[in-house]
Amino acid sequence: MSNTPLIAVLAMMLSMMCYQVSASFAKQLIAVLDPLSVTILRLCFASVLVFFMFRSWKILSKLSTLKWRDLLGYSGALGVMNVLFYMSLGKLPQGIAVGLEFIGPLGLALLSIQQRRDYIWVICAILGIALMVPWQQAAQANFSLTGAAFALGAGLCWAFYIYFGHKVVRQNIGMHALTIAISLSAMVLLPIGLVHQPEHLLDSEFWPKALLIAILATAIPYALDLFALKRLTKLSYGTLSSLSPALAALAGLILLHENITLLQWIALGFIMLASIGVTLRASRQDIDHSTT
């Protein structure tokens, strides 16, 4: 980490903070609209943003040659992940929702464990989930088991998003894959939203905040991440990503005045520790493979 340019670290931290601030704003909008409508508005604006950001008109002539099976899986995972995550935000404090969602990609990484000593990270993840839930007082505490199910479902979709993302990468279409995924998700969900709550989507009063959410959750983070990825090692990037649940809790505390218990802070700590441990283990494996 000592050789990592400070500006790249700051860029990534700013990227994660922008995303968590966008989630806080989305939660404020969810208090007025339903989670599906907020998701659709964000995806519609985001699809336009990424289309111009990545100059995705260049891919239009190649659409007929793409492998759509993987792209559809990638797009479906992204769309459902966003819907479930926003549904969880409507029922849980932001830090807890992000912490539980984080179990998805963490679980995917844990599945590749090959050495017994690395099972300590599985134990950390399980402890994190167990401590997150106030089991004896779930009805009285600021905790929703339904919201937890939505967050874990979003995490599962996140794992599928990563899985299909690895397959889509082989098509060598770069960030245009993201444009396709966001646009397809928006096009599929928009008719559902127009039938479900048309007044929410067509009321221009909500559009400026939805556009701000899309900018903070899409345009700024992707631009900063691309900058950081060119200057950070895989280990540094993965370790910094593990801070997301804590940043989510801080954003919820500052912007939404959401307090979570000491035990739940400890739970977030276990989840982040597991993520950092898996990142370190993956880095060691990459070094071992490169030297054999």
Side-chain angles (χ1 to χ4, degrees):
M1 199 63 153
S2 58
N3 296 324
T4 302
L6 178 61
I7 190 170
V9 175
L10 293 175
M12 190 174 172
M13 294 295 290
L14 181 59
S15 167
M16 290 189 291
M17 278 307 303
C18 283
Y19 188 85
Q20 298 307 333
V21 168
S22 80
S24 296
F25 287 159
K27 183 158 187 173
Q28 292 173 348
L29 199 55
I30 287 169
V32 183
L33 306 179
D34 62 289
L36 179 61
S37 296
V38 176
T39 306
I40 294 170
L41 286 172
R42 176 202 155 181
L43 289 174
C44 286
F45 282 115
S47 64
V48 177
L49 288 172
V50 295
F51 183 81
F52 288 102
M53 268 183 68
F54 304 133
R55 302 177 183 179
S56 292
W57 53 82
K58 297 177 181 178
I59 200 69
L60 294 177
S61 61
K62 302 178 182 178
L63 291 180
S64 60
T65 64
L66 299 178
K67 296 179 181 178
W68 282 97
R69 181 178 174 181
D70 294 334
L71 272 169
L72 289 175
Y74 184 65
S75 304
L78 182 143
V80 178
M81 174 179 68
N82 277 275
V83 172
L84 290 176
F85 177 62
Y86 278 10
M87 290 176 75
S88 73
L89 275 182
K91 295 181 177 295
L92 292 174
Q94 184 177 333
I96 294 178
V98 172
L100 289 173
E101 185 195 28
F102 210 70
I103 294 298
L106 176 57
L108 189 64
L110 291 173
L111 287 175
S112 63
I113 280 180
Q114 297 176 346
Q115 298 180 1
R116 286 186 177 181
R117 66 174 180 268
D118 288 325
Y119 277 99
I120 184 65
W121 312 124
V122 177
I123 295 171
C124 284
I126 293 172
L127 274 173
I129 299 173
L131 293 174
M132 190 82 74
V133 183
W135 300 103
Q136 296 180 343
Q137 55 207 5
Q140 291 79 28
N142 186 18
F143 193 89
S144 164
L145 293 176
T146 304
F150 287 145
L152 289 171
L156 178 63
C157 290
W158 192 353
F160 279 117
Y161 173 79
I162 295 170
Y163 171 78
F164 284 110
H166 286 310
K167 290 181 174 292
V168 168
V169 162
R170 298 171 192 164
Q171 300 195 40
N172 294 318
I173 55 176
M175 298 303 287
H176 300 311
L178 190 64
T179 303
I180 293 172
I182 293 176
S183 300
L184 281 178
S185 298
M187 286 189 290
V188 170
L189 292 173
L190 184 57
I192 299 172
L194 289 173
V195 172
H196 177 59
Q197 293 280 12
E199 65 278 8
H200 288 179
L201 299 178
L202 299 177
D203 191 340
S204 59
E205 174 189 354
F206 303 116
W207 293 0
K209 194 157 195 175
L211 175 59
L212 178 61
I213 292 168
I215 292 172
L216 289 172
T218 307
I220 295 177
Y222 292 143
L224 290 172
D225 278 350
L226 286 173
F227 176 85
L229 278 168
K230 292 177 182 178
R231 293 161 177 82
L232 290 176
T233 64
K234 184 178 178 182
L235 173 59
S236 298
Y237 187 88
T239 304
L240 286 169
S241 296
S242 304
L243 298 175
S244 291
L247 292 175
L250 286 174
L253 178 64
I254 295 169
L255 297 175
L256 303 171
H257 308 293
E258 293 179 336
N259 292 308
I260 63 176
T261 67
L262 175 60
L263 206 56
Q264 288 167 338
W265 273 108
I266 294 172
L268 287 176
F270 274 116
I271 291 172
M272 290 187 292
L273 181 61
S275 180
I276 292 170
V278 168
T279 302
L280 290 168
R281 187 261 305 159
S283 178
R284 287 199 304 270
Q285 285 187 349
D286 287 343
I287 293 172
D288 292 342
H289 290 159
S290 65
T291 56
T292 54

